Amino acid sequence: MRLEGVVVPLITPFLEDYSIDKEGLKWLVSYLSENGVNGIFVNSSVGEFASLTLDEMKLVTKIALDSRKSYSTLIFAGASTNFTEETIKLAKDFKDMGVDAIVVMAPYFFKVREKELLDHFSMIAEKVDLPIIIYNIPLFTGIDIPISVYKMLVSQHSNIIGTKVTLDSLIFFKKLISEIREIRKDFSILTGFDEYLLPLLYMGGNGGVMGLANAIPKLHLKVYESWKNGNLSDANKYWRNVLNLTDIYDYCNSYTASIKLLLKVLNMSIKNVVRPPLSICEEESKIREMIKDLSPFLTNSK
């Protein structure tokens, strides 16, 4: 399995009573798959995984697996918990369900040392017979996974296939790519920021796991496909559209609220509901103005 291109960290649709909107979820997964995204990451940060029960995480995963329109749309399941053995158990359940890979972040409560961090990921890799994607998001976990830990993990565990890095540092990406590729050329490095998609590709990365692709996947796909085909002028042009769209994050109090409001403004079948303690974003007029020039990317077909 090659981890590359445009992966969508799926938002979790809710009804007004905060229960999971199963029909909305089915629609969104189908929409993304039909548009040709390379992967869908359920139980993600923007998917409010921290506000989901373990049973709900499994439900979201099952619906995603049942709703994708093509097996070329890979399904990655977030299996992060603060208890390593619980993560292993959850990951094994996901394997039985048929996911293509699991995504695991560092513990997000205990501020563990480097050895404990290495042990956490190693235990999971040894006990779970699935491809594993390391999720490095120090904004939420308080832990920035050191490159030294990456190097030990990728040299010891062939089923650790890639990483999603949500870190505002091109210098970190440069060092990570350079040092990891000396050990494993097949290890995939993806950004968690929409803004970094094209810069990372130029640096030798493999793509991105980007929240705004929930709404307008064609735009991110145009960036990736243009770059891959060597059409750098087009890649730059489309990337500037992505950059402009990321201004939506400045108007809302969370990434999740921004994305759900955008889906509402686009008249998609997703309700503008987030689970407390998050709150909805109501800056509709600003968002409508922002997307007025993006109509070519808003059709459901690829």
Side-chain angles (χ1 to χ4, degrees), residues 117-146:
L117 194 58
L118 178 62
D119 289 345
H120 173 71
F121 287 112
S122 293
M123 288 174 65
I124 296 167
E126 289 164 2
K127 295 184 179 181
V128 178
D129 184 20
L130 270 176
I132 296 170
I133 302 161
I134 295 174
Y135 187 0
N136 188 5
I137 182 166
L139 174 67
F140 291 158
T141 64
I143 297 173
D144 185 358
I145 301 172

Side-chain angles (χ1 to χ4, degrees), residues 6-241:
V6 175
V7 177
V8 181
L10 194 73
I11 60 100
T12 304
F14 298 118
L15 299 173
E16 286 83 354
D17 64 357
Y18 304 124
S19 63
I20 292 174
D21 180 359
K22 298 177 185 178
E23 294 306 313
L25 182 57
K26 293 175 185 176
W27 178 88
L28 184 57
V29 172
S30 297
Y31 165 72
L32 295 172
S33 185
E34 287 170 351
N35 272 275
V37 301
N38 301 94
I40 295 174
F41 167 26
V42 300
N43 307 324
S44 65
S45 298
V46 297
E48 300 172 73
F49 89 93
S51 297
L52 300 177
T53 67
L54 294 181
D55 284 342
E56 287 175 327
M57 291 169 71
K58 294 175 188 178
L59 174 61
V60 168
T61 302
K62 183 179 187 310
I63 291 174
L65 287 165
D66 291 344
S67 302
R68 64 177 166 181
K69 296 300 183 181
S70 168
Y71 284 102
S72 63
T73 305
L74 302 174
I75 302 295
F76 310 132
S80 297
T81 75
N82 269 316
F83 177 27
T84 307
E85 288 295 334
E86 187 70 57
T87 292
I88 292 168
K89 181 178 182 300
L90 183 60
K92 288 180 176 180
D93 288 340
F94 287 144
K95 181 181 186 300
D96 291 341
M97 294 169 66
V99 303
D100 296 293
I102 59 166
V103 185
V104 182
M105 64 169 57
Y108 49 90
F109 182 83
F110 300 110
K111 302 302 180 282
V112 297
R113 297 167 298 179
E114 188 169 313
K115 181 184 182 303
E116 294 166 328
L117 194 58
L118 178 62
D119 289 345
H120 173 71
F121 287 112
S122 293
M123 288 174 65
I124 296 167
E126 289 164 2
K127 295 184 179 181
V128 178
D129 184 20
L130 270 176
I132 296 170
I133 302 161
I134 295 174
Y135 187 0
N136 188 5
I137 182 166
L139 174 67
F140 291 158
T141 64
I143 297 173
D144 185 358
I145 301 172
I147 292 177
S148 58
V149 169
Y150 275 107
K151 291 170 71 173
M152 286 185 280
L153 289 171
V154 301
S155 64
Q156 295 171 9
H157 305 287
S158 60
N159 61 330
I160 296 180
I161 65 165
T163 184
K164 172 191 176 182
V165 181
T166 306
L167 183 65
D168 189 12
S169 173
L170 287 176
I171 293 174
F172 179 86
F173 279 112
K174 178 179 180 293
K175 291 181 178 179
L176 182 64
I177 292 168
S178 174
E179 296 189 31
I180 294 299
R181 292 287 163 73
E182 291 181 359
I183 303 170
R184 287 250 308 271
K185 294 188 182 300
D186 65 338
F187 187 79
S188 296
I189 297 171
L190 289 83
T191 177
F193 286 131
D194 300 74
E195 299 95 325
Y196 275 12
L197 175 57
L198 189 57
L200 182 65
L201 291 171
Y202 276 122
M203 294 171 68
N206 302 92
V209 187
M210 300 155 293
L212 291 173
N214 275 277
I216 314 178
K218 270 192 170 183
L219 183 55
H220 296 75
L221 286 164
K222 284 290 187 182
V223 175
Y224 178 71
E225 291 165 357
S226 297
W227 172 84
K228 191 173 183 178
N229 293 329
N231 299 325
L232 303 185
S233 176
D234 283 349
N236 283 312
K237 177 181 67 176
Y238 295 128
W239 177 62
R240 291 191 178 279
N241 288 130

